[in-house]
Amino acid sequence: MLPSQCLCTNLRRAARGVSRHYDGALDGFGINVAQYSLLCNLQRLDQPSISELAEAMGLDRSTLGRNLRVLEGEGLVALTEGEDMRNRIVKLTDTGAQRLAAALPAWEAAQQRLIDRLGAEKRETLLRLLDELA
């Protein structure tokens, strides 16, 4: 890799490496890191609207919509009409919750491997720095 002082280049390179790490951990569960994150956020928010979920994840509605269609096609999420016809509610299906629960130990193991690699102090520093940039 070519060295660079560009923060954007280095953050994107690191993000791709970390994504590959977690995607490897999720092999065999039929979901990737982006889908796992979406399912986790959906579980935490408990039937949010598409707008609420998009805001919580920092995604635009069209990107989220494309991701949701894939998960809906696999039976992991369901979209229903909200109180307002313009707003749809996203629900985690039983199949989605089971897939998430099955993948959790692999996710946690991947998380621990990165923590072990960084050490607790660097992890906390990294989280603070990323929070500042978000």
Side-chain angles (χ1 to χ4, degrees):
M1 279 186 263
L2 293 173
S4 173
Q5 294 300 307
C6 176
L7 292 175
C8 182
T9 298
N10 283 292
L11 281 169
R12 290 175 57 98
R13 185 180 299 156
R16 286 190 301 272
V18 170
S19 290
R20 280 191 304 272
H21 175 77
Y22 283 97
D23 276 337
L26 294 172
D27 276 350
F29 293 99
I31 54 176
N32 62 33
V33 66
Q35 293 166 333
Y36 181 89
S37 177
L38 197 157
L39 293 172
C40 282
N41 278 288
L42 185 53
Q43 187 175 52
R44 276 183 279 213
L45 293 172
D46 190 31
Q47 300 184 21
S49 68
I50 290 177
S51 296
E52 291 167 339
L53 185 57
E55 184 177 330
M57 295 189 69
L59 297 172
D60 61 75
R61 284 177 50 97
S62 61
T63 300
L64 179 60
R66 285 190 298 275
N67 293 333
L68 286 172
R69 280 192 290 282
V70 171
L71 294 173
E72 185 181 33
E74 293 181 20
L76 304 178
V77 303
L79 300 173
T80 61
E81 296 300 325
E83 293 177 15
D84 182 335
M85 294 299 286
R86 295 172 294 162
N87 210 0
R88 300 188 74 193
I89 302 298
V90 188
K91 296 180 181 182
L92 186 64
T93 65
D94 289 341
T95 302
Q98 290 167 3
R99 180 88 51 97
L100 196 54
L104 180 62
W107 182 271
E108 289 176 338
Q111 178 91 333
Q112 191 59 52
R113 284 190 300 276
L114 285 180
I115 292 168
D116 292 345
R117 184 171 159 189
L118 284 175
E121 187 176 322
K122 284 183 181 177
R123 175 188 181 265
E124 291 305 316
T125 300
L126 179 59
L127 288 174
R128 279 194 306 279
L129 290 170
L130 291 172
D131 192 46
E132 284 183 37
L133 293 174

